[in-house]
Amino acid sequence: EEAWKTEAAAARAAFAAREQSRTRKKGSVAQLDASNFASSLAAVERVGVVKFFSPQCPACRRLAPVYEAAAKRFSGQADFFEVNYKQAQQVCREERVLLLPMVHLYVPRAGCVDRFVLSYKRRKRLEEKLDGLLAGEGERLDRLRELDPAALAPLVRLKELLGAVQAVRRAPELLRGAAGDGWVTEQQTEEMQSVFRALDRNGDGVLDAEELAAACEALGMPFSSEEELRRVVTAADGDASTDTVDERAFLRLMARRASEEVTDADALLSSFRALDVDGNGLLDA
């Protein structure tokens, strides 16, 4: 009986979300919280765009018109939502929201397919992402929607691997003049270690040139020459005497990539203050 009640409640919530989506004014942004987050995204037909924000975040306030303009431009193609961090902290924790304002793109069945911090410097990024996702009459979107949910775990790993390989390719740029190793959470570090092990095919604890070349080629980013490969490996490891990248160097590179968008100390501080709900200078777990 309890299971039946739970299923019935879920069905009612899904129906209410679909009705809300159908009757919502075109170009508007709907508010989400723990009570309607899952059901509202489940009712999305094409793309769900969710902005995580806080009223106390200066960057969030500055970028609010940018988000609203995107909602109007993509009216009928995507559903736009926003989540107030201070009113839905559990949702934000589950969705791994670490900085504000953060935008997630959701596709039915596939779940979250992209996430990024929205900054004023790159305020066109949201529209560029949606243009790419909806390009070609939504062919890419259709492929994502047709996926079997059982196949999604490998695809998530593929995206992680793709991000890692892209970071390795950009090692000379990411590490040029780097003053620190970047800031990441313990969970992110564990995920990065998992990606490292996936790339380290022979399990010897280092990534050699052959492993990196194979990964880049498999992911459609082959090196143009052996010279380019050697240059990237040397930059990534930071040691010209070796032709491998060890785990320490790999994690440093991933941390730099993860934090590269937050280069302005004031922007980071505004996010911290917005996430510091009780104002005690600490972020609760």
mmCIF file of all heavy atoms in Angstrom, residues 69-112:
data_model
loop_
_atom_site.group_PDB
_atom_site.id
_atom_site.type_symbol
_atom_site.label_atom_id
_atom_site.label_comp_id
_atom_site.label_asym_id
_atom_site.label_seq_id
_atom_site.Cartn_x
_atom_site.Cartn_y
_atom_site.Cartn_z
ATOM 1 N N ALA A 69 16.997 37.050 -20.881
ATOM 2 C CA ALA A 69 17.033 37.276 -22.329
ATOM 3 C C ALA A 69 17.164 35.958 -23.081
ATOM 4 O O ALA A 69 16.534 35.755 -24.131
ATOM 5 C CB ALA A 69 18.201 38.206 -22.679
ATOM 6 N N ALA A 70 17.978 35.038 -22.538
ATOM 7 C CA ALA A 70 18.132 33.722 -23.170
ATOM 8 C C ALA A 70 16.818 32.950 -23.115
ATOM 9 O O ALA A 70 16.450 32.250 -24.065
ATOM 10 C CB ALA A 70 19.243 32.939 -22.477
ATOM 11 N N ALA A 71 16.091 33.085 -22.001
ATOM 12 C CA ALA A 71 14.799 32.398 -21.866
ATOM 13 C C ALA A 71 13.818 32.878 -22.938
ATOM 14 O O ALA A 71 13.066 32.080 -23.507
ATOM 15 C CB ALA A 71 14.226 32.640 -20.472
ATOM 16 N N LYS A 72 13.831 34.143 -23.230
ATOM 17 C CA LYS A 72 12.949 34.686 -24.265
ATOM 18 C C LYS A 72 13.391 34.241 -25.652
ATOM 19 O O LYS A 72 12.568 33.867 -26.497
ATOM 20 C CB LYS A 72 12.927 36.213 -24.183
ATOM 21 C CG LYS A 72 12.184 36.766 -22.981
ATOM 22 C CD LYS A 72 12.148 38.279 -23.001
ATOM 23 C CE LYS A 72 11.251 38.831 -21.900
ATOM 24 N NZ LYS A 72 11.728 38.485 -20.558
ATOM 25 N N ARG A 73 14.708 34.249 -25.889
ATOM 26 C CA ARG A 73 15.195 33.888 -27.219
ATOM 27 C C ARG A 73 14.896 32.422 -27.543
ATOM 28 O O ARG A 73 14.545 32.077 -28.670
ATOM 29 C CB ARG A 73 16.704 34.133 -27.303
ATOM 30 C CG ARG A 73 17.233 33.805 -28.700
ATOM 31 C CD ARG A 73 18.733 33.721 -28.776
ATOM 32 N NE ARG A 73 19.088 32.935 -29.953
ATOM 33 C CZ ARG A 73 20.302 32.495 -30.208
ATOM 34 N NH1 ARG A 73 21.294 32.758 -29.392
ATOM 35 N NH2 ARG A 73 20.529 31.771 -31.292
ATOM 36 N N PHE A 74 15.028 31.547 -26.551
ATOM 37 C CA PHE A 74 14.838 30.115 -26.805
ATOM 38 C C PHE A 74 13.454 29.629 -26.373
ATOM 39 O O PHE A 74 13.262 28.430 -26.161
ATOM 40 C CB PHE A 74 15.933 29.312 -26.092
ATOM 41 C CG PHE A 74 17.294 29.472 -26.697
ATOM 42 C CD1 PHE A 74 18.183 30.411 -26.198
ATOM 43 C CD2 PHE A 74 17.684 28.704 -27.786
ATOM 44 C CE1 PHE A 74 19.434 30.576 -26.766
ATOM 45 C CE2 PHE A 74 18.937 28.858 -28.357
ATOM 46 C CZ PHE A 74 19.821 29.799 -27.849
ATOM 47 N N SER A 75 12.533 30.544 -26.256
ATOM 48 C CA SER A 75 11.161 30.172 -25.917
ATOM 49 C C SER A 75 10.616 29.191 -26.952
ATOM 50 O O SER A 75 10.737 29.399 -28.153
ATOM 51 C CB SER A 75 10.289 31.428 -25.889
ATOM 52 O OG SER A 75 8.939 31.087 -25.655
ATOM 53 N N GLY A 76 10.042 28.103 -26.477
ATOM 54 C CA GLY A 76 9.516 27.074 -27.367
ATOM 55 C C GLY A 76 10.529 26.003 -27.715
ATOM 56 O O GLY A 76 10.168 24.934 -28.218
ATOM 57 N N GLN A 77 11.807 26.265 -27.434
ATOM 58 C CA GLN A 77 12.857 25.285 -27.707
ATOM 59 C C GLN A 77 13.429 24.687 -26.428
ATOM 60 O O GLN A 77 13.953 23.575 -26.439
ATOM 61 C CB GLN A 77 13.999 25.937 -28.491
ATOM 62 C CG GLN A 77 13.587 26.527 -29.826
ATOM 63 C CD GLN A 77 14.770 27.151 -30.531
ATOM 64 O OE1 GLN A 77 15.651 26.468 -31.045
ATOM 65 N NE2 GLN A 77 14.808 28.474 -30.557
ATOM 66 N N ALA A 78 13.349 25.435 -25.335
ATOM 67 C CA ALA A 78 13.888 24.971 -24.061
ATOM 68 C C ALA A 78 13.048 25.542 -22.931
ATOM 69 O O ALA A 78 12.435 26.604 -23.069
ATOM 70 C CB ALA A 78 15.351 25.391 -23.917
ATOM 71 N N ASP A 79 13.006 24.817 -21.805
ATOM 72 C CA ASP A 79 12.312 25.278 -20.606
ATOM 73 C C ASP A 79 13.348 25.824 -19.625
ATOM 74 O O ASP A 79 14.336 25.137 -19.330
ATOM 75 C CB ASP A 79 11.536 24.137 -19.954
ATOM 76 C CG ASP A 79 10.396 23.651 -20.836
ATOM 77 O OD1 ASP A 79 9.539 24.478 -21.183
ATOM 78 O OD2 ASP A 79 10.375 22.458 -21.191
ATOM 79 N N PHE A 80 13.111 27.026 -19.131
ATOM 80 C CA PHE A 80 14.063 27.684 -18.244
ATOM 81 C C PHE A 80 13.553 27.683 -16.801
ATOM 82 O O PHE A 80 12.385 27.993 -16.541
ATOM 83 C CB PHE A 80 14.318 29.114 -18.704
ATOM 84 C CG PHE A 80 15.265 29.212 -19.870
ATOM 85 C CD1 PHE A 80 14.870 28.814 -21.137
ATOM 86 C CD2 PHE A 80 16.561 29.681 -19.694
ATOM 87 C CE1 PHE A 80 15.742 28.893 -22.217
ATOM 88 C CE2 PHE A 80 17.438 29.772 -20.757
ATOM 89 C CZ PHE A 80 17.033 29.371 -22.022
ATOM 90 N N PHE A 81 14.464 27.346 -15.898
ATOM 91 C CA PHE A 81 14.142 27.292 -14.467
ATOM 92 C C PHE A 81 15.254 27.974 -13.677
ATOM 93 O O PHE A 81 16.341 28.224 -14.202
ATOM 94 C CB PHE A 81 14.019 25.841 -13.991
ATOM 95 C CG PHE A 81 13.081 24.988 -14.805
ATOM 96 C CD1 PHE A 81 13.555 24.207 -15.855
ATOM 97 C CD2 PHE A 81 11.730 24.960 -14.516
ATOM 98 C CE1 PHE A 81 12.711 23.419 -16.607
ATOM 99 C CE2 PHE A 81 10.863 24.166 -15.260
ATOM 100 C CZ PHE A 81 11.355 23.388 -16.310
ATOM 101 N N GLU A 82 14.987 28.229 -12.418
ATOM 102 C CA GLU A 82 16.031 28.710 -11.518
ATOM 103 C C GLU A 82 15.788 28.164 -10.119
ATOM 104 O O GLU A 82 14.645 27.919 -9.723
ATOM 105 C CB GLU A 82 16.113 30.234 -11.509
ATOM 106 C CG GLU A 82 14.872 30.957 -11.060
ATOM 107 C CD GLU A 82 15.037 32.478 -11.135
ATOM 108 O OE1 GLU A 82 16.014 32.947 -11.762
ATOM 109 O OE2 GLU A 82 14.193 33.185 -10.555
ATOM 110 N N VAL A 83 16.896 27.943 -9.407
ATOM 111 C CA VAL A 83 16.848 27.384 -8.057
ATOM 112 C C VAL A 83 17.576 28.336 -7.119
ATOM 113 O O VAL A 83 18.761 28.643 -7.336
ATOM 114 C CB VAL A 83 17.506 25.995 -8.007
ATOM 115 C CG1 VAL A 83 17.547 25.475 -6.570
ATOM 116 C CG2 VAL A 83 16.756 25.010 -8.898
ATOM 117 N N ASN A 84 16.889 28.790 -6.094
ATOM 118 C CA ASN A 84 17.483 29.645 -5.073
ATOM 119 C C ASN A 84 18.260 28.757 -4.101
ATOM 120 O O ASN A 84 17.680 27.938 -3.394
ATOM 121 C CB ASN A 84 16.388 30.419 -4.341
ATOM 122 C CG ASN A 84 16.955 31.414 -3.343
ATOM 123 O OD1 ASN A 84 18.041 31.239 -2.797
ATOM 124 N ND2 ASN A 84 16.189 32.465 -3.080
ATOM 125 N N TYR A 85 19.563 28.934 -4.073
ATOM 126 C CA TYR A 85 20.410 28.074 -3.241
ATOM 127 C C TYR A 85 19.951 28.053 -1.787
ATOM 128 O O TYR A 85 19.918 26.994 -1.157
ATOM 129 C CB TYR A 85 21.864 28.545 -3.321
ATOM 130 C CG TYR A 85 22.802 27.735 -2.463
ATOM 131 C CD1 TYR A 85 23.416 26.588 -2.963
ATOM 132 C CD2 TYR A 85 23.056 28.088 -1.149
ATOM 133 C CE1 TYR A 85 24.256 25.821 -2.170
ATOM 134 C CE2 TYR A 85 23.896 27.327 -0.344
ATOM 135 C CZ TYR A 85 24.489 26.202 -0.856
ATOM 136 O OH TYR A 85 25.320 25.447 -0.068
ATOM 137 N N LYS A 86 19.596 29.205 -1.263
ATOM 138 C CA LYS A 86 19.262 29.277 0.161
ATOM 139 C C LYS A 86 17.935 28.612 0.486
ATOM 140 O O LYS A 86 17.659 28.295 1.641
ATOM 141 C CB LYS A 86 19.263 30.732 0.612
ATOM 142 C CG LYS A 86 20.653 31.360 0.506
ATOM 143 C CD LYS A 86 20.799 32.595 1.339
ATOM 144 C CE LYS A 86 22.249 33.058 1.351
ATOM 145 N NZ LYS A 86 22.499 34.164 2.275
ATOM 146 N N GLN A 87 17.111 28.387 -0.524
ATOM 147 C CA GLN A 87 15.822 27.733 -0.296
ATOM 148 C C GLN A 87 15.824 26.270 -0.712
ATOM 149 O O GLN A 87 14.845 25.566 -0.477
ATOM 150 C CB GLN A 87 14.728 28.483 -1.064
ATOM 151 C CG GLN A 87 14.505 29.904 -0.581
ATOM 152 C CD GLN A 87 13.487 30.655 -1.413
ATOM 153 O OE1 GLN A 87 12.979 30.137 -2.411
ATOM 154 N NE2 GLN A 87 13.177 31.879 -1.012
ATOM 155 N N ALA A 88 16.900 25.821 -1.343
ATOM 156 C CA ALA A 88 16.950 24.432 -1.828
ATOM 157 C C ALA A 88 18.375 23.906 -1.733
ATOM 158 O O ALA A 88 18.957 23.455 -2.722
ATOM 159 C CB ALA A 88 16.436 24.354 -3.256
ATOM 160 N N GLN A 89 18.932 23.955 -0.546
ATOM 161 C CA GLN A 89 20.329 23.561 -0.372
ATOM 162 C C GLN A 89 20.561 22.077 -0.664
ATOM 163 O O GLN A 89 21.601 21.711 -1.219
ATOM 164 C CB GLN A 89 20.784 23.899 1.045
ATOM 165 C CG GLN A 89 20.820 25.389 1.319
ATOM 166 C CD GLN A 89 21.223 25.698 2.741
ATOM 167 O OE1 GLN A 89 22.231 25.203 3.228
ATOM 168 N NE2 GLN A 89 20.428 26.500 3.424
ATOM 169 N N GLN A 90 19.601 21.240 -0.308
ATOM 170 C CA GLN A 90 19.777 19.813 -0.546
ATOM 171 C C GLN A 90 19.820 19.524 -2.039
ATOM 172 O O GLN A 90 20.638 18.722 -2.505
ATOM 173 C CB GLN A 90 18.633 19.022 0.099
ATOM 174 C CG GLN A 90 18.765 17.505 -0.026
ATOM 175 C CD GLN A 90 20.042 16.974 0.604
ATOM 176 O OE1 GLN A 90 20.494 17.468 1.636
ATOM 177 N NE2 GLN A 90 20.640 15.965 -0.019
ATOM 178 N N VAL A 91 18.968 20.176 -2.809
ATOM 179 C CA VAL A 91 18.989 20.007 -4.265
ATOM 180 C C VAL A 91 20.346 20.432 -4.817
ATOM 181 O O VAL A 91 20.935 19.739 -5.659
ATOM 182 C CB VAL A 91 17.871 20.847 -4.923
ATOM 183 C CG1 VAL A 91 18.041 20.863 -6.443
ATOM 184 C CG2 VAL A 91 16.508 20.292 -4.556
ATOM 185 N N CYS A 92 20.857 21.558 -4.354
ATOM 186 C CA CYS A 92 22.147 22.060 -4.840
ATOM 187 C C CYS A 92 23.282 21.110 -4.487
ATOM 188 O O CYS A 92 24.204 20.917 -5.291
ATOM 189 C CB CYS A 92 22.414 23.448 -4.269
ATOM 190 S SG CYS A 92 21.283 24.718 -4.913
ATOM 191 N N ARG A 93 23.220 20.509 -3.301
ATOM 192 C CA ARG A 93 24.254 19.539 -2.928
ATOM 193 C C ARG A 93 24.183 18.317 -3.828
ATOM 194 O O ARG A 93 25.214 17.815 -4.298
ATOM 195 C CB ARG A 93 24.098 19.148 -1.459
ATOM 196 C CG ARG A 93 24.701 20.146 -0.485
ATOM 197 C CD ARG A 93 24.811 19.559 0.901
ATOM 198 N NE ARG A 93 23.510 19.418 1.529
ATOM 199 C CZ ARG A 93 22.962 20.343 2.307
ATOM 200 N NH1 ARG A 93 23.580 21.483 2.520
ATOM 201 N NH2 ARG A 93 21.784 20.145 2.857
ATOM 202 N N GLU A 94 22.978 17.832 -4.075
ATOM 203 C CA GLU A 94 22.813 16.648 -4.918
ATOM 204 C C GLU A 94 23.252 16.916 -6.358
ATOM 205 O O GLU A 94 23.755 16.021 -7.041
ATOM 206 C CB GLU A 94 21.355 16.188 -4.891
ATOM 207 C CG GLU A 94 20.921 15.636 -3.541
ATOM 208 C CD GLU A 94 19.436 15.342 -3.489
ATOM 209 O OE1 GLU A 94 18.733 15.676 -4.470
ATOM 210 O OE2 GLU A 94 18.971 14.784 -2.470
ATOM 211 N N GLU A 95 23.076 18.161 -6.807
ATOM 212 C CA GLU A 95 23.451 18.527 -8.173
ATOM 213 C C GLU A 95 24.886 19.041 -8.257
ATOM 214 O O GLU A 95 25.326 19.501 -9.298
ATOM 215 C CB GLU A 95 22.492 19.587 -8.714
ATOM 216 C CG GLU A 95 21.055 19.105 -8.852
ATOM 217 C CD GLU A 95 20.936 17.929 -9.787
ATOM 218 O OE1 GLU A 95 21.379 18.038 -10.946
ATOM 219 O OE2 GLU A 95 20.403 16.882 -9.350
ATOM 220 N N ARG A 96 25.613 18.972 -7.155
ATOM 221 C CA ARG A 96 27.031 19.348 -7.093
ATOM 222 C C ARG A 96 27.256 20.796 -7.535
ATOM 223 O O ARG A 96 28.122 21.091 -8.364
ATOM 224 C CB ARG A 96 27.867 18.392 -7.941
ATOM 225 C CG ARG A 96 27.834 16.948 -7.461
ATOM 226 C CD ARG A 96 28.498 16.021 -8.451
ATOM 227 N NE ARG A 96 29.858 16.437 -8.712
ATOM 228 C CZ ARG A 96 30.500 16.201 -9.855
ATOM 229 N NH1 ARG A 96 29.888 15.578 -10.832
ATOM 230 N NH2 ARG A 96 31.743 16.583 -10.023
ATOM 231 N N VAL A 97 26.473 21.697 -6.960
ATOM 232 C CA VAL A 97 26.634 23.122 -7.250
ATOM 233 C C VAL A 97 27.678 23.685 -6.288
ATOM 234 O O VAL A 97 27.453 23.739 -5.080
ATOM 235 C CB VAL A 97 25.294 23.869 -7.092
ATOM 236 C CG1 VAL A 97 25.493 25.366 -7.279
ATOM 237 C CG2 VAL A 97 24.277 23.329 -8.081
ATOM 238 N N LEU A 98 28.821 24.116 -6.828
ATOM 239 C CA LEU A 98 29.925 24.594 -6.012
ATOM 240 C C LEU A 98 30.142 26.094 -6.131
ATOM 241 O O LEU A 98 30.729 26.714 -5.255
ATOM 242 C CB LEU A 98 31.220 23.867 -6.399
ATOM 243 C CG LEU A 98 31.186 22.340 -6.261
ATOM 244 C CD1 LEU A 98 32.477 21.742 -6.795
ATOM 245 C CD2 LEU A 98 30.967 21.928 -4.819
ATOM 246 N N LEU A 99 29.701 26.682 -7.238
ATOM 247 C CA LEU A 99 29.856 28.110 -7.457
ATOM 248 C C LEU A 99 28.548 28.678 -8.012
ATOM 249 O O LEU A 99 27.742 27.949 -8.576
ATOM 250 C CB LEU A 99 30.997 28.378 -8.445
ATOM 251 C CG LEU A 99 32.417 28.081 -7.944
ATOM 252 C CD1 LEU A 99 33.407 28.180 -9.091
ATOM 253 C CD2 LEU A 99 32.813 29.037 -6.832
ATOM 254 N N LEU A 100 28.367 29.974 -7.832
ATOM 255 C CA LEU A 100 27.166 30.642 -8.313
ATOM 256 C C LEU A 100 27.541 31.848 -9.169
ATOM 257 O O LEU A 100 28.560 32.477 -8.908
ATOM 258 C CB LEU A 100 26.310 31.115 -7.133
ATOM 259 C CG LEU A 100 25.836 30.042 -6.143
ATOM 260 C CD1 LEU A 100 25.130 30.711 -4.959
ATOM 261 C CD2 LEU A 100 24.922 29.040 -6.804
ATOM 262 N N PRO A 101 26.726 32.165 -10.171
ATOM 263 C CA PRO A 101 25.587 31.381 -10.669
ATOM 264 C C PRO A 101 26.058 30.241 -11.569
ATOM 265 O O PRO A 101 26.934 30.431 -12.402
ATOM 266 C CB PRO A 101 24.794 32.409 -11.482
ATOM 267 C CG PRO A 101 25.846 33.365 -11.975
ATOM 268 C CD PRO A 101 26.883 33.431 -10.896
ATOM 269 N N MET A 102 25.495 29.070 -11.376
ATOM 270 C CA MET A 102 25.839 27.904 -12.188
ATOM 271 C C MET A 102 24.625 27.503 -13.017
ATOM 272 O O MET A 102 23.490 27.585 -12.546
ATOM 273 C CB MET A 102 26.296 26.750 -11.314
ATOM 274 C CG MET A 102 26.637 25.486 -12.088
ATOM 275 S SD MET A 102 27.521 24.256 -11.079
ATOM 276 C CE MET A 102 29.192 24.873 -11.219
ATOM 277 N N VAL A 103 24.881 27.080 -14.242
ATOM 278 C CA VAL A 103 23.813 26.654 -15.142
ATOM 279 C C VAL A 103 24.002 25.190 -15.509
ATOM 280 O O VAL A 103 25.115 24.775 -15.846
ATOM 281 C CB VAL A 103 23.792 27.514 -16.427
ATOM 282 C CG1 VAL A 103 22.758 26.978 -17.414
ATOM 283 C CG2 VAL A 103 23.483 28.971 -16.089
ATOM 284 N N HIS A 104 22.931 24.408 -15.425
ATOM 285 C CA HIS A 104 22.938 23.007 -15.849
ATOM 286 C C HIS A 104 21.959 22.848 -17.012
ATOM 287 O O HIS A 104 20.880 23.441 -17.003
ATOM 288 C CB HIS A 104 22.502 22.090 -14.707
ATOM 289 C CG HIS A 104 23.522 21.930 -13.632
ATOM 290 N ND1 HIS A 104 23.434 20.960 -12.654
ATOM 291 C CD2 HIS A 104 24.658 22.604 -13.374
ATOM 292 C CE1 HIS A 104 24.469 21.047 -11.837
ATOM 293 N NE2 HIS A 104 25.222 22.052 -12.256
ATOM 294 N N LEU A 105 22.354 22.033 -17.979
ATOM 295 C CA LEU A 105 21.471 21.704 -19.095
ATOM 296 C C LEU A 105 21.026 20.252 -18.953
ATOM 297 O O LEU A 105 21.873 19.359 -18.816
ATOM 298 C CB LEU A 105 22.196 21.902 -20.433
ATOM 299 C CG LEU A 105 22.780 23.294 -20.704
ATOM 300 C CD1 LEU A 105 23.417 23.326 -22.087
ATOM 301 C CD2 LEU A 105 21.717 24.367 -20.571
ATOM 302 N N TYR A 106 19.721 20.029 -18.964
ATOM 303 C CA TYR A 106 19.161 18.698 -18.797
ATOM 304 C C TYR A 106 18.407 18.280 -20.058
ATOM 305 O O TYR A 106 17.694 19.080 -20.664
ATOM 306 C CB TYR A 106 18.197 18.658 -17.607
ATOM 307 C CG TYR A 106 18.836 18.942 -16.273
ATOM 308 C CD1 TYR A 106 18.989 20.253 -15.826
ATOM 309 C CD2 TYR A 106 19.285 17.913 -15.457
ATOM 310 C CE1 TYR A 106 19.575 20.530 -14.600
ATOM 311 C CE2 TYR A 106 19.878 18.183 -14.220
ATOM 312 C CZ TYR A 106 20.019 19.488 -13.795
ATOM 313 O OH TYR A 106 20.609 19.760 -12.587
ATOM 314 N N VAL A 107 18.572 17.006 -20.412
ATOM 315 C CA VAL A 107 17.868 16.424 -21.549
ATOM 316 C C VAL A 107 17.079 15.220 -21.033
ATOM 317 O O VAL A 107 17.609 14.433 -20.243
ATOM 318 C CB VAL A 107 18.858 15.982 -22.651
ATOM 319 C CG1 VAL A 107 18.153 15.183 -23.738
ATOM 320 C CG2 VAL A 107 19.537 17.208 -23.259
ATOM 321 N N PRO A 108 15.815 15.064 -21.440
ATOM 322 C CA PRO A 108 15.030 13.911 -20.982
ATOM 323 C C PRO A 108 15.784 12.608 -21.181
ATOM 324 O O PRO A 108 16.416 12.406 -22.209
ATOM 325 C CB PRO A 108 13.777 13.983 -21.875
ATOM 326 C CG PRO A 108 13.628 15.435 -22.181
ATOM 327 C CD PRO A 108 15.041 15.956 -22.336
ATOM 328 N N ARG A 109 15.738 11.736 -20.172
ATOM 329 C CA ARG A 109 16.402 10.427 -20.151
ATOM 330 C C ARG A 109 17.904 10.537 -19.922
ATOM 331 O O ARG A 109 18.467 9.783 -19.131
ATOM 332 C CB ARG A 109 16.134 9.626 -21.441
ATOM 333 C CG ARG A 109 14.676 9.208 -21.622
ATOM 334 C CD ARG A 109 14.464 8.560 -22.982
ATOM 335 N NE ARG A 109 15.226 7.328 -23.127
ATOM 336 C CZ ARG A 109 14.799 6.136 -22.719
ATOM 337 N NH1 ARG A 109 13.625 6.023 -22.136
ATOM 338 N NH2 ARG A 109 15.539 5.055 -22.891
ATOM 339 N N ALA A 110 18.554 11.484 -20.576
ATOM 340 C CA ALA A 110 20.009 11.589 -20.445
ATOM 341 C C ALA A 110 20.422 12.301 -19.172
ATOM 342 O O ALA A 110 21.535 12.127 -18.689
ATOM 343 C CB ALA A 110 20.596 12.309 -21.658
ATOM 344 N N GLY A 111 19.544 13.134 -18.605
ATOM 345 C CA GLY A 111 19.886 13.866 -17.397
ATOM 346 C C GLY A 111 20.716 15.101 -17.708
ATOM 347 O O GLY A 111 20.566 15.726 -18.753
ATOM 348 N N CYS A 112 21.620 15.447 -16.784
ATOM 349 C CA CYS A 112 22.456 16.634 -16.963
ATOM 350 C C CYS A 112 23.538 16.334 -17.995
ATOM 351 O O CYS A 112 24.382 15.463 -17.784
ATOM 352 C CB CYS A 112 23.089 17.046 -15.633
ATOM 353 S SG CYS A 112 24.105 18.528 -15.746
#
